[in-house]
Amino acid sequence: MVMDKLSNSLQDALKKLVGAGRIDERTVNDVVKDIQRALLQSDVNVKMVMQLSKSIKERALEEDVPQGMNPREHVIRIVYEELMKIVGEGTDIPLKPQKIMMIGLQGSGKTTTTSKLAHYFQRKGLKPAVICADTFRPGAYQQLKTLCESLNVPFYGEEGNPDAVGIVERGLAEIDKYDVKIIDTAGRHSLENDLIDEMERIHAISSPDYKLLVLDAGIGQQASEQAKAFNDSIGISGVVISKLDGTAKGGGAMSAVAATDSSIAFIGVGETPQDLEKFEADRFISRLLG
Ligand code: GDP
């Protein structure tokens, strides 16, 4: 059962409910306080934690414990369901020919994630190819080219040419015969107007099936604002949370996902092209509470 995978801290919190014949307000408050602490430590947005606490409390006290369930199981189910409402089931990127546009701030892990995705589709038997339209960050071209060569994935880029839109146009023609076309775009330290403009032009010219926002798990509270700006500009179809192998638990990124009504497709768990996992809500929730 999914709930068996929930983290130790939640399990500990819920031990308070062991033996409780009925659920009283004090017990529920205790449990909710523990959950709040865990979520705030994981960088989940304070407002969201408060809303969540309120719903859990209300439901735990108001809803009848279903037949065949003890109070503890009842509360676990409510906590899980409320967290699921925020985290979502995840975005399923289909295994079929398509165009994917990568977006995100500089340093978020966009270029690395591009190679991870190429490897993912390759492993599933599709033929991916990659375009480097990050003409802003020095080294991005060489980094992506090297990664693609190591995977034997066709790569298109024009080193030194700042015309990202032109590169995408020519690149798409060049890699036309491949199944999955992945476009890595420029990120900067913050969302400046010229970046937005370039992103919108690349979006218009490439008509991607998916626009994946890469968010660093450690981004914290600024994540929501950034994600909203990307979403308002070209719309986000899914999120990749990178660097979840580190200490960050992704609560800031999760808050951003909720703020933009998008959902998580993949998580990055290391620096190599192999380090990509499909998003699994229960594991993610467990990590947030851990
Ligand atoms: P970009 O500027 O968004 O293209 O970022 P890069 O792809 O160059 O990544 C920035 C740094 O983060 C690099 O040192 C990557 O190796 C590292 N990185 C990216 N994804 C992950 C990840 O999932 N885990 C870890 N530990 N490092 C990552």
Side-chain angles (χ1 to χ4, degrees):
M1 200 162 86
V2 91
M3 295 166 195
D4 295 338
K5 292 187 202 161
L6 287 186
S7 65
N8 291 338
S9 79
L10 179 59
Q11 295 290 356
D12 285 348
L14 292 161
K15 279 199 188 118
K16 292 179 180 145
L17 289 171
V18 170
R22 48 181 285 277
I23 305 175
D24 62 54
E25 201 163 342
R26 230 185 90 196
T27 318
V28 171
N29 280 342
D30 271 2
V31 171
V32 166
K33 228 175 257 161
D34 286 346
I35 292 166
Q36 281 178 348
R37 197 172 308 129
L39 292 176
L40 289 171
Q41 270 169 12
S42 298
D43 243 340
V44 178
N45 179 283
V46 180
K47 221 168 112 193
M48 195 175 284
V49 173
M50 293 308 154
Q51 275 165 1
L52 190 75
S53 309
K54 192 163 162 267
S55 328
I56 294 172
K57 265 188 221 168
E58 278 171 10
R59 288 189 56 193
L61 292 170
E62 279 166 22
E63 288 178 19
D64 290 332
V65 180
Q67 277 226 321
M69 243 187 217
N70 63 37
R72 183 165 177 263
E73 287 163 344
H74 174 58
V75 176
I76 295 179
R77 197 185 54 137
I78 291 169
V79 171
Y80 184 77
E81 283 175 3
E82 290 300 318
L83 278 166
M84 269 305 278
K85 276 189 203 162
I86 298 175
V87 176
E89 290 283 349
T91 301
D92 188 36
I93 307 287
L95 294 172
K96 63 175 193 193
Q98 60 190 307
K99 277 177 270 179
I100 299 176
M101 178 173 171
M102 307 299 292
I103 51 178
L105 292 187
Q106 187 168 332
S108 59
K110 223 170 1 68
T111 302
T112 312
T113 306
T114 301
S115 74
K116 289 176 180 179
L117 279 174
H119 182 61
Y120 168 80
F121 288 111
Q122 195 178 38
R123 261 191 5 239
K124 302 285 183 186
L126 287 158
K127 289 194 172 62
V130 166
I131 297 172
C132 174
D134 182 351
T135 55
F136 185 76
R137 180 164 66 84
Y141 170 93
Q142 204 54 50
Q143 181 190 354
L144 192 53
K145 184 164 186 269
T146 307
L147 283 165
C148 287
E149 278 168 2
S150 76
L151 296 169
N152 259 324
V153 165
F155 166 86
Y156 184 88
E158 298 175 16
E159 195 171 21
N161 184 354
D163 173 20
V165 182
I167 292 174
V168 171
E169 196 173 17
R170 288 184 288 279
L172 284 174
E174 192 75 24
I175 64 170
D176 187 47
K177 64 178 181 194
Y178 293 94
D179 299 327
V180 183
K181 303 167 180 88
I182 310 173
I183 305 166
D184 187 18
T185 65
R188 310 224 172 137
H189 296 298
S190 63
L191 276 164
E192 294 135 19
N193 286 340
D194 57 338
L195 173 65
I196 296 270
D197 179 56
E198 182 183 284
M199 201 164 60
E200 287 173 354
R201 287 167 62 211
I202 292 176
H203 182 243
I205 208 166
S206 59
S207 310
D209 300 279
Y210 284 91
K211 292 151 278 184
L212 293 184
L213 174 67
V214 181
L215 286 175
D216 184 327
I219 186 171
Q221 294 305 314
Q222 342 144 26
S224 299
E225 197 190 321
Q226 302 290 350
K228 269 190 209 147
F230 280 111
N231 201 35
D232 289 346
S233 164
I234 60 167
I236 299 169
S237 18
V239 169
V240 181
I241 301 186
S242 65
K243 310 185 197 180
L244 261 179
D245 51 313
T247 52
K249 289 173 182 159
M254 187 207 72
S255 308
V257 168
T260 53
D261 232 357
S262 55
S263 69
I264 309 166
F266 294 98
I267 62 167
V269 292
E271 297 189 69
T272 78
Q274 286 76 27
D275 297 322
L276 186 75
E277 293 176 3
K278 270 194 91 160
F279 171 70
E280 283 178 42
D282 52 340
R283 280 180 69 184
F284 189 77
I285 288 173
S286 181
R287 198 193 300 254
L288 280 177
L289 291 165

